[in-house]
């Protein structure tokens, strides 16, 4: 979700008051400082969320602030609170990609892979630069490939193509993404029994 936080900054600029902008920057600074210090606990997560909620009181449609409320809870694994906040963000802006992507991650953690895929695919449609959403879809493709277990199956080949496309796209945005490279390796090696030269590569 760190990459999704970065992509969330791509939101179009809107006019906000100087005080609101100052409060948002202060809340963002607190979040960044806590993140850097790995200082997340229930207290700091609630404190960060409250700071962004204060911003929302002055500017209720500032989707970035609502997203950051969710991300603050997300950092501590407070998934119910995070989910509520992300849902409020998509009430403000239905195609808010970063919120959709992080909802996908929450549903994936809960074992609800169908819902996770829907959120991740919606997130990618909203913003193609969301690395975590693309990696999420690729990991679900890999799961399906393993269930099919036959590289000669047409469905298996389509899943592999999609996974490779998603991971190539993710690496196009973040060429240092260890998660994307790791998943790419796993997808590539899945067909080694049929195509043994993959082992050499």
């Amino acid at each position: 979700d760190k990459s999704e936080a970065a992509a969330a900054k791509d939101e179009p600029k809107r006019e906000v008051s100087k005080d609101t902008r100052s409060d948002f920057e202060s809340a963002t600074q607190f979040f960044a400082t806590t993140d850097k210090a790995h200082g997340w606990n229930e207290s700091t997560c609630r404190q960060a969320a409250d700071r962004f909620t204060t911003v929302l009181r002055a500017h209720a449609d500032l989707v970035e602030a609502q997203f950051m409320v969710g991300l603050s809870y997300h950092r501590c694994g407070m998934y119910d609170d995070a989910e509520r906040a992300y849902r409020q963000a998509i009430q403000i802006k239905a195609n808010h990609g970063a919120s959709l992507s992080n909802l996908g991650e929450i549903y994936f953690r809960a074992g609800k892979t169908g819902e996770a895929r829907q959120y991740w695919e919606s997130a990618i449609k909203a913003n193609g630069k969301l690395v975590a959403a693309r990696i999420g879809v690729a990991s679900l493709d890999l799961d399906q490939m393993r269930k099919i277990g036959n590289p000669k199956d047409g469905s298996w080949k389509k899943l592999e193509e999609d996974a490779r496309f998603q991971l190539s796209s993710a690496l196009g945005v973040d060429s240092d993404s260890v998660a994307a490279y790791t998943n790419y390796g796993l997808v590539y090696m899945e067909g080694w029994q049929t195509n043994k030269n993959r082992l050499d590569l």
Side-chain angles (χ1 to χ4, degrees):
D1 57 29
K2 286 184 182 178
S3 54
E4 309 314 56
K9 292 176 184 170
D10 291 343
E11 286 295 311
K13 300 288 182 257
R14 290 179 304 288
E15 286 300 314
V16 295
S17 73
K18 190 175 179 182
D19 286 347
T20 302
R21 191 164 44 250
S22 174
D23 287 346
F24 185 80
E25 286 168 4
S26 172
T28 302
Q29 184 59 49
F30 176 81
F31 185 96
T33 302
T34 308
D35 222 23
K36 193 171 183 179
H38 304 289
W40 293 113
N41 56 50
E42 187 172 339
S43 174
T44 54
C45 285
R46 289 193 186 284
Q47 195 176 348
D50 287 347
R51 286 176 178 235
F52 288 109
T53 301
T54 298
V55 174
L56 286 161
R57 284 193 198 105
H59 203 297
D61 66 345
L62 194 64
V63 70
E64 298 89 344
Q66 186 60 58
F67 169 76
M68 291 303 294
V69 171
L71 193 58
S72 298
Y73 289 129
H74 205 145
R75 282 292 190 265
C76 291
M78 300 166 73
Y79 298 121
D80 289 344
D81 291 319
E83 180 182 355
R84 266 192 299 279
Y86 294 139
R87 287 193 178 284
Q88 287 174 325
I90 59 177
Q91 290 294 318
I92 296 169
K93 183 179 179 189
N95 65 341
H96 189 251
S99 294
L100 291 164
S101 180
N102 285 1
L103 280 167
E105 198 254 330
I106 288 170
Y107 274 80
F108 179 77
R109 283 180 179 272
K112 299 176 180 176
T113 56
E115 291 94 331
R117 181 182 285 276
Q118 286 176 344
Y119 279 117
W120 281 330
E121 288 176 348
S122 296
I124 292 164
K125 281 181 192 161
N127 180 347
K129 295 181 180 180
L130 293 166
V131 171
R134 289 194 179 277
I135 293 171
V137 169
S139 69
L140 293 177
D141 287 343
L142 179 58
D143 259 5
Q144 287 300 112
M145 288 163 62
R146 287 175 174 159
K147 284 176 185 164
I148 293 169
N150 178 8
K152 293 182 179 176
D153 183 282
S155 300
W156 192 98
K157 288 179 180 178
K158 283 182 184 170
L159 288 162
E160 184 190 33
E161 282 172 18
D162 184 60
R164 289 170 72 167
F165 169 76
Q166 298 297 344
L167 294 168
S168 294
S169 299
L171 288 166
V173 175
D174 179 5
S175 60
D176 295 326
S177 173
V178 174
Y181 277 116
T182 302
N183 276 279
Y184 215 121
L186 292 170
V187 167
Y188 198 72
M189 291 306 296
E190 198 57 29
W192 75 268
Q193 296 94 336
T194 308
N195 191 356
K196 290 199 169 47
N197 70 345
R198 289 187 174 194
L199 287 174
D200 298 332
L201 291 167

